[in-house]
Amino acid sequence: MLPLLYCVHRMFISQTEGELKVTQVLRENFPRATAIKVTDISGGCGAMYEIKIESEEFKEKRTVQQHQMVNQAGFELLSSSDPPASASQCWEYRH
């Protein structure tokens, strides 16, 4: 799909399968979160996500500690038997 068509298509759907998987893992890892927003910013292949989380769990934590907490949750997802996408899928999609 062309990038412009992809953007228009994305306006009519709520979340991709990868975004849903990442959101689910984050909800499991941050049960006290009041808001979680996951957006695939890699053109739909699932190689890169923008993640926004509002949670009391981050209170009084330095930014680097907050990033480590989120990265740990992401590592668990990538180590699972059903990650959202692989880099090779993304590479094929772009070409």
Side-chain angles (χ1 to χ4, degrees), residues 37-54:
K37 174 141 176 65
V38 177
T39 306
D40 182 343
I41 58 172
S42 63
C45 69
M48 190 178 342
Y49 293 93
E50 176 182 63
I51 296 172
K52 296 180 182 179
I53 304 171
E54 292 179 23

Side-chain angles (χ1 to χ4, degrees), residues 27 43 48 50 53 58 72 87 89:
R27 288 199 190 284
M48 190 178 342
E50 176 182 63
I53 304 171
F58 295 128
Q72 181 60 39
Q89 289 171 325

Side-chain angles (χ1 to χ4, degrees), residues 22-90:
V22 173
T23 300
Q24 178 184 358
V25 168
L26 292 172
R27 288 199 190 284
E28 291 169 2
N29 282 273
F30 300 98
R32 298 184 307 191
T34 56
I36 295 177
K37 174 141 176 65
V38 177
T39 306
D40 182 343
I41 58 172
S42 63
C45 69
M48 190 178 342
Y49 293 93
E50 176 182 63
I51 296 172
K52 296 180 182 179
I53 304 171
E54 292 179 23
S55 177
E56 288 292 318
E57 296 165 86
F58 295 128
K59 192 173 184 173
E60 298 183 21
K61 301 266 189 210
R62 296 186 330 236
T63 302
V64 71
Q65 291 171 315
Q66 295 172 10
H67 284 219
Q68 289 170 337
M69 293 167 67
V70 175
N71 286 338
Q72 181 60 39
F75 178 76
E76 291 171 13
L77 176 63
L78 293 174
S79 299
S80 73
S81 61
D82 191 23
S86 70
S88 64
Q89 289 171 325
C90 187

